[in-house]
Amino acid sequence: MTDKLSRIVLDRLRAINWTDDSGAFNHPHSRALLMREYLRRAALWAKAYDAEPSWPFFDIAGHIDAEITISAHIADELEELLEELAPASLRTTCRGAVRWAALREARNDLPTELPDPYEPLLAMYERGGGYYIEEYLDLNGVMIPLRDVESNASAPAVLTLAPATLDALDAEGEMTYYARISDGYPRHSPRGIVRRRVDDDRTYDEAFTRNLRWEPTEYLRLYDLGHNDIDHVRITEIEAAAFIEALAKKLVGSP
């Protein structure tokens, strides 16, 4: 067994600016989405290996194979990195992600139907550091409820972790997304999507265009006035992300 994959994860952790609060405040919506996806994936692995009491921030590799280890120099570098990080559960997930990489390299019999548990969490850390646990999960800019294993395991899956798609979800204010639908353009494959963003008591209506960015639109205002025949339906942030990803692939191809 080599330490190639665990080294890659360790290098990603070392590259994170754990004290960059501005990064967290610039990416509140995508960080919340990524944390929810981690909680969902971790719940699936916890259920698969009877590890529900250890959920949500735990060493998944240790529950699958108690004998899994990482090389001494990787372990030493990891502990040096984690020395001043808090809370303790954050340190647990960083160790877990490195050990998960070692497990992937050592075993080829892991369940293929279960998604990589730590990738959403690593992506969240890379977009603004860690979190704090109070009454809610505090992600430095947004707070989300923890809930329980079952509700997280049954939550909708986030189908893309592409940085450009995640960037498109981040903006100041509260956002509501809508899909423009008509004959031949159902909710799962709409004509387009728009969002209403409210920030500091000001409302901004924006459409995601073929320029792969949000641009001002009069669609919602005209619809409310009865001047637009194209209907719309409210959709989730996850559905909006799926449309953005599909449009990007259609216009510029897969990365």
Side-chain angles (χ1 to χ4, degrees):
M1 182 186 75
T2 70
D3 58 6
K4 179 180 178 180
L5 295 183
S6 53
R7 167 59 65 183
I8 290 172
V9 174
L10 176 59
D11 287 345
R12 289 178 67 181
L13 293 172
R14 295 179 68 173
I16 294 168
N17 184 348
W18 296 96
T19 61
D20 180 19
D21 291 341
S22 63
F25 283 103
N26 288 335
H27 300 293
H29 299 282
S30 63
R31 278 170 51 84
L33 196 71
L34 290 165
M35 175 60 84
R36 293 189 187 101
E37 178 62 8
Y38 164 75
L39 294 174
R40 185 190 76 87
R41 295 186 183 191
L44 294 176
W45 283 96
K47 288 170 61 68
Y49 286 91
D50 298 321
E52 289 97 328
S54 299
W55 181 90
F57 303 112
F58 66 114
D59 175 12
I60 297 172
H63 285 273
I64 298 174
D65 185 349
E67 302 300 320
I68 195 67
T69 60
I70 57 177
S71 62
H73 62 280
I74 292 285
D76 289 343
E77 291 181 48
L78 177 61
E79 291 308 310
E80 181 180 359
L81 169 67
L82 300 182
E83 188 174 354
E84 297 185 4
L85 294 186
S89 60
L90 187 151
R91 298 193 295 272
T92 297
T93 60
C94 291
R95 294 187 189 99
V98 174
R99 284 168 51 79
W100 173 259
L103 181 69
R104 284 178 54 206
E105 205 156 21
R107 300 268 299 264
N108 59 9
D109 60 343
L110 298 176
T112 57
E113 71 275 11
L114 295 180
D116 185 309
Y118 290 106
E119 185 57 35
L121 199 59
L122 290 171
M124 194 206 79
Y125 292 157
E126 290 170 332
R127 298 176 75 81
Y131 59 86
Y132 298 96
I133 302 179
E134 298 176 349
E135 184 177 353
Y136 292 89
L137 279 172
D138 184 346
L139 307 183
N140 286 336
V142 64
M143 291 189 291
I144 64 173
L146 183 58
R147 300 183 298 162
D148 57 23
V149 173
E150 289 297 334
S151 59
N152 278 281
S154 60
V158 177
L159 301 179
T160 175
L161 304 182
T165 301
L166 295 172
D167 287 344
L169 301 177
D170 285 317
E172 294 182 355
E174 297 296 322
M175 289 178 282
T176 306
Y177 293 93
Y178 302 93
R180 300 172 62 197
I181 58 174
S182 62
D183 290 343
Y185 294 94
R187 175 175 181 154
H188 67 271
S189 183
R191 297 172 64 99
I193 62 171
V194 297
R195 71 183 181 189
R196 174 157 285 173
R197 181 167 61 89
V198 179
D199 183 42
D200 288 337
D201 297 325
R202 297 187 64 182
T203 298
Y204 306 86
D205 289 343
E206 300 161 328
F208 195 81
T209 73
R210 295 177 67 86
N211 295 321
L212 300 181
R213 62 175 180 259
W214 294 100
E215 298 178 347
T217 180
E218 293 291 306
Y219 166 79
L220 291 172
R221 188 180 69 85
L222 292 174
Y223 186 92
D224 291 340
L225 293 173
H227 298 304
N228 202 324
D229 294 332
I230 300 175
D231 207 350
H232 62 272
V233 61
R234 183 170 177 173
I235 60 174
T236 67
E237 195 172 41
I238 292 176
E239 290 173 298
F243 174 86
I244 292 168
E245 179 82 352
L247 182 60
K249 288 182 178 179
K250 179 179 178 180
L251 296 177
V252 300
S254 300

